[in-house]
Amino acid sequence: MRSRILRAILLAVAVTGFALGIPLGYTALRLVDDGARTDLAARAQRIAASIDDQIAGGRPIDLGPVEVGVPEGGHLVVTSSSGTHEFGKTPGPDPLAVEVPIAQQGTVRLEVSSAPMHTAQYQVAALVVLLVVLSVSTGTVVATVTARKLAKPLRHVAARAARLGAGDFRVDERRHGVPELDLVADALDKSAGALAELVQRERELVGDVSHQLRSRLTALQLRLEALSLHPEPDMAVEARAALEQAERLAEVLNEMLAAARAARAVGAEPLDLGAELSAITEEWREPLRSVGRALRVKVPDGLLARATPARLREAIGVLLDNALRHGEGQVVVSARRDDGTVVVEVADGGAGVPDELAHHIFERGVSGGGSTGVGLALARALVDADGGRLELSAARPATFAVFLPVPKAEDVVGVSWRTDLTPR
């Protein structure tokens, strides 16, 4: 985009420069030519007037009084009925000449070399070219700066759209003063809020449905197991057959839930948590340090988890921002492997979450510190979109736990070279 804007502005500057430069150069050359001819014609008129005075007084033509009016290197030729009178030498080929009539059908011809006029024209042309070059150069600088200023907000809006597609549903309040781009940014913010609510509702619905189905299936299996021990053989056989169907139904439910989680986490990939969490927390060190608080990161070497980098960054960022706003003391970000999952915990040394908010802390609009109550709901939606979950593992001190899937072996092999080269 930046190169297109730059090319368009440079093309406009170049066309304008040539459109103005060519007529300006031609006009300047004509002015130099007209000026030289006008000066020469004025001299010839004064000489002709002096010769006319001599002829009118009956005196013979004398070029002595008019020699002072002849330019240096010029050639004066006076033709009359009494003959031809000359002063100076012929200026050479292609002279600049002016001829003025005098009395008795005579003429005064004044010639000078055209070289000084051509020199002046060359100088004027060079000056015009220099002005055009300076104009184009200035336009190039202005075009570069303008293209950069125009491309920067476009890149920001494009990056915002890309983050939205990657699952970053946080509102971006940055605006650029360009009405059209600000409208796009407003639309992206509205879309982010709508998608966050949709993801949250989907998560709650799937969770509720799976919980209800699992509970009912468990109760059904227990009843069927009891019936399978019935003393009547026919009744026991039918109960065992029904129990097998219930077990198959439970397996199908598990497979469907796993497929749904995999579909949501389509952009997830194996990540080296040591490198990822170090990069994420780096931008929060200075804000915490400015209020006298420290930030520690404790992650074992080589610990891998499956997540989308953008979603993980935003989710951990929400938790760190929550710790900065509502917590106290040192903030600790740690990660560990636990029962087939990877747990990332963000804890601080503050008073923790009040009991009345602990069970509603992830609901939109719920906040204990006067904030909007949107951040934690969005963080949970982001983590859930990658097939993980976000929980409040401890209310005092406040400790949030992000449970992430462990990457498959075939996925780890494909990215092992990347994690080895990830800067620490």
Side-chain angles (χ1 to χ4, degrees), residues 23 128 210 229 296 318-319 366 402:
V128 170
S210 62
L229 301 177
R296 291 184 58 195
V318 168
L319 298 180
V366 175
V402 178

Side-chain angles (χ1 to χ4, degrees), residues 26-110:
Y26 176 78
T27 303
L29 294 179
R30 292 297 304 171
L31 287 175
V32 172
D33 183 89
D34 292 343
R37 293 183 182 277
T38 299
D39 179 70
L40 191 62
R43 290 175 178 270
Q45 289 286 356
R46 289 193 293 270
I47 293 173
S50 178
I51 298 298
D52 283 337
D53 290 341
Q54 293 178 10
I55 294 175
R59 300 190 304 273
I61 295 177
D62 182 10
L63 299 183
V66 299
E67 291 177 359
V68 70
V70 179
E72 183 178 357
H75 181 218
L76 174 63
V77 179
V78 178
T79 303
S80 66
S81 58
S82 60
T84 301
H85 306 272
E86 297 185 28
F87 172 76
K89 296 181 179 180
T90 303
D94 192 24
L96 183 63
V98 174
E99 192 171 291
V100 178
I102 58 175
Q104 298 181 357
Q105 298 182 350
T107 59
V108 171
R109 180 180 178 84
L110 185 60

Side-chain angles (χ1 to χ4, degrees), residues 2 17 30 36 59 69 99 110 112 142 150 158 160 167 172 184 224 228 277 325 336 349-350 394 422:
R2 177 181 172 183
R30 292 297 304 171
R59 300 190 304 273
E99 192 171 291
L110 185 60
V112 295
V142 174
L150 290 176
R160 175 72 182 93
D172 190 345
V184 174
L224 291 175
S228 65
L277 293 178
R325 292 173 180 268
R336 68 180 189 276
T422 302

Side-chain angles (χ1 to χ4, degrees), residues 17 67 72 178 205 240 316 347 371:
E67 291 177 359
E72 183 178 357
V178 181
L205 176 62
R240 284 193 293 271
I316 300 299
S371 61

Side-chain angles (χ1 to χ4, degrees), residues 107-174:
T107 59
V108 171
R109 180 180 178 84
L110 185 60
E111 300 176 340
V112 295
S113 175
S114 60
M117 182 190 69
H118 292 320
T119 301
Q121 288 179 325
Y122 295 150
Q123 293 173 347
V124 170
L127 179 60
V128 170
V129 172
L130 178 61
L131 290 176
V132 172
V133 171
L134 288 176
S135 299
V136 173
S137 301
T138 303
T140 301
V141 174
V142 174
T144 303
V145 175
T146 303
R148 184 180 296 113
K149 288 184 177 181
L150 290 176
K152 186 175 181 181
L154 289 173
R155 287 197 301 269
H156 179 263
V157 172
R160 175 72 182 93
R163 293 197 303 271
L164 178 60
D168 178 5
F169 302 137
R170 291 197 300 173
V171 174
D172 190 345
E173 298 180 354
R174 182 177 177 183

